[in-house]
Amino acid sequence: MSPDSGADGASVEKCAWQELEQHASLLSVPPIDKNEFLSRQQRLASSLKAAGVDAFIAEPSASTAYYFNISASFDLSERPFLVILDQDAEFSYLVPSFEAGRISALDMVYKTKTVIQWEETKSPYAVLKENSRFDKVMLDEHARFMIAAGLEHAGIDVLPMSTAVQKLRAVKQPSEIAILRAINSFTLQLVRALRPCIRVGMTQEEVTDSARALFTRAGVGKGFWAIVLFGDQAAFPHGGKHGKTLQDGEFVLVDIGSKLHDYGSDVTRTILPPGGAVSKELWDMWHLVHAAQSAGFRLMLPNQTCSDIDAASRKAVEAAGLGPYYTHRLGHGLGLEMHEHPYLNGANSEKLSVGEVATNEPGIYVTTDQAPGIGWDRGFGIRLEDPILVTEEDGEPLTGRRAVSPFDP
């Protein structure tokens, strides 16, 4: 089935689902189990001991979701709720007394726990110092400055999160890789199912609504996001005007994702609908971006430096005289957060490790205002993106495959 020209999102969803439904089984992978959470806590405790600090302290964040199943969506306030693991892997948390009952109902994971309650007639940080006797702690990178200031004022030395502790979450375990592979390969299949159903005359919002409905239909609508851009609107990497309709001779850029067991997908394809055509210059530009992705992909190996990988992806673009229009880093880590360590940019001397996952997403973006500078009348934007798993020997696209052409994403 294919929708008529100008079809709305519902008919596009119906069209795409006929192809996508067979791929819904990709999502049948289990969530992280209790034993894995406890293993993570042991690895963190070992790192704390090696660093010579008494404990790790965090507010609800991706870090607490990773170690304790305490969601980053928990609302923060001026009253600190601090989650703590000491170097002996003992779990505790600091909580306002009147919130103790509500917080105890959270589905957190631990072997044993200690609850430190503070009354509002006292400083929470002084109460923590008195009850824990911590002298030096490592503070999670997501924690607010007021937490660091409060701990320091109470006489507790605060260290920033170390690279070694960052690596604990950056290096994915097999259970995490299975989830990331599932949601990212499904996301690519969704884009592939959408492409034949897109028609000239549709709006960007109709494509977005169709994608949202497809993720929801597959049971993974929570966490959905999308950037759908036509033609010169794609010159703005994160979006431009709303309501644009697709015209002949325009690419469709789809940057899209959702979540499975709180792990995210992040996939971008620049595509053409059935019967679509672009100028030879635009077609060549697509292949230039593909070459940039290939150059970065070849270096996504253990012990390769993030800045070198970013630089390798730029060489072909710079050789074509288009370096200034490759305006962002090559990529970023992907896991419980859409953007996390490691970051593939020109300033990062960190080396990749086996088990890390990072996106590879070069792009070329020329606005219509800039187009005369390269001898063109209209602007454009092209990006290709796959999350890549670093293995012992090479990089594995967690989408299952890279794009081949605008007709074969």
Side-chain angles (χ1 to χ4, degrees):
M1 176 185 176
S2 63
D4 296 329
S5 178
D8 63 17
S11 62
V12 174
E13 176 202 346
K14 185 176 180 181
C15 166
W17 183 250
Q18 292 186 83
E19 169 61 27
L20 183 62
E21 184 177 15
Q22 65 182 308
H23 299 291
S25 60
L26 290 169
L27 300 169
S28 297
V29 296
I32 304 301
D33 64 22
K34 180 178 180 179
N35 287 336
E36 175 59 27
F37 280 109
L38 295 177
S39 294
R40 293 171 178 180
Q41 292 171 23
Q42 288 292 338
R43 290 193 291 271
L44 175 57
S46 295
S47 287
L48 298 175
K49 191 168 289 186
V53 299
D54 299 319
F56 176 78
I57 295 181
E59 295 188 274
S61 62
S63 295
T64 61
Y66 180 81
Y67 290 111
F68 312 108
N69 199 41
I70 298 174
S71 174
S73 65
F74 186 92
D75 290 332
L76 301 180
S77 78
E78 75 283 4
R79 298 180 175 99
F81 163 34
L82 302 183
V83 182
I84 305 161
L85 191 81
D86 70 19
Q87 62 173 242
D88 296 318
E90 295 295 327
F91 169 74
S92 60
Y93 58 84
L94 175 76
V95 60
S97 293
F98 78 97
E99 291 275 39
R102 181 170 75 98
I103 289 174
S104 70
L106 297 177
D107 189 23
M108 56 188 87
V109 177
Y110 51 84
K111 270 189 176 180
T112 61
K113 72 173 180 180
T114 299
V115 180
I116 303 171
Q117 298 185 35
W118 58 276
E119 302 290 344
E120 295 211 295
T121 55
K122 297 182 178 181
S123 160
Y125 309 102
V127 170
L128 176 61
K129 174 68 173 177
E130 180 182 341
N131 283 269
S132 68
R133 312 234 178 250
F134 294 150
D135 293 318
K136 184 188 297 183
V137 300
M138 184 178 294
L139 192 61
D140 180 52
E141 61 188 343
H142 301 89
R144 294 170 292 175
F145 177 78
M146 71 174 221
I147 305 299
L151 292 169
E152 290 276 8
H153 186 71
I156 300 173
D157 287 340
V158 176
L159 300 182
M161 192 172 185
S162 67
T163 300
V165 170
Q166 286 175 346
K167 280 280 188 183
L168 295 179
R169 188 157 71 85
V171 174
K172 305 300 188 278
Q173 300 302 308
S175 53
E176 297 176 277
I177 293 167
I179 297 169
L180 285 166
R181 185 182 289 117
I183 189 61
N184 282 280
S185 59
F186 178 79
T187 298
L188 175 56
Q189 293 302 329
L190 187 148
V191 174
R192 291 174 59 82
L194 266 179
R195 189 199 66 82
C197 305
I198 297 172
R199 292 290 183 268
V200 167
M202 292 187 65
T203 67
Q204 296 170 156
E205 290 72 27
E206 285 168 345
V207 178
T208 299
D209 290 345
S210 302
R212 179 185 291 105
L214 289 166
F215 274 115
T216 300
R217 196 164 179 174
V220 286
K222 184 179 179 182
F224 166 80
W225 60 273
I227 301 169
V228 177
L229 303 168
F230 298 161
D232 62 349
Q233 287 299 300
F236 302 94
H238 285 166
K241 296 178 181 178
H242 297 286
K244 177 171 170 51
T245 59
L246 182 62
Q247 307 296 315
D248 287 320
E250 292 184 329
F251 276 135
V252 176
L253 187 154
V254 180
D255 186 349
I256 194 167
S258 195
K259 289 190 173 185
L260 175 66
H261 308 319
D262 288 329
Y263 286 82
S265 58
D266 192 356
V267 177
T268 306
R269 293 293 187 265
T270 301
I271 60 177
L272 281 171
V278 295
S279 66
K280 180 183 183 302
E281 290 80 8
L282 266 178
W283 189 266
D284 290 345
M285 205 66 70
W286 189 98
H287 284 282
L288 180 57
V289 173
H290 190 270
Q293 191 189 40
S294 296
F297 179 71
R298 287 191 289 270
L299 279 187
M300 293 188 72
L301 303 168
N303 296 315
Q304 291 291 336
T305 303
C306 291
S307 59
D308 291 344
I309 303 167
D310 178 88
S313 76
R314 297 179 187 276
K315 288 182 179 178
V317 179
E318 291 169 347
L322 294 165
Y325 304 104
Y326 181 170
T327 57
H328 55 67
R329 66 192 174 202
L330 175 61
H332 55 83
L334 180 67
L336 288 170
E337 295 178 285
M338 281 296 155
H339 292 180
E340 61 180 45
H341 299 281
Y343 295 100
L344 305 184
N345 63 49
N348 189 2
S349 59
E350 179 183 353
K351 295 183 183 296
L352 291 184
S353 299
V354 171
E356 289 186 314
V357 173
T359 65
N360 179 334
E361 50 177 308
I364 300 175
Y365 313 94
V366 178
T367 68
T368 294
D369 288 343
Q370 294 170 327
I374 62 168
W376 291 35
D377 295 328
R378 292 188 63 204
F380 65 91
I382 298 169
R383 181 165 67 254
L384 298 170
E385 176 184 18
D386 295 89
I388 307 298
L389 169 67
V390 181
T391 72
E392 289 282 0
E393 298 181 352
D394 56 19
E396 176 196 339
L398 291 180
T399 49
R401 49 164 289 169
R402 292 173 56 214
V404 175
S405 81
F407 292 115
D408 187 5

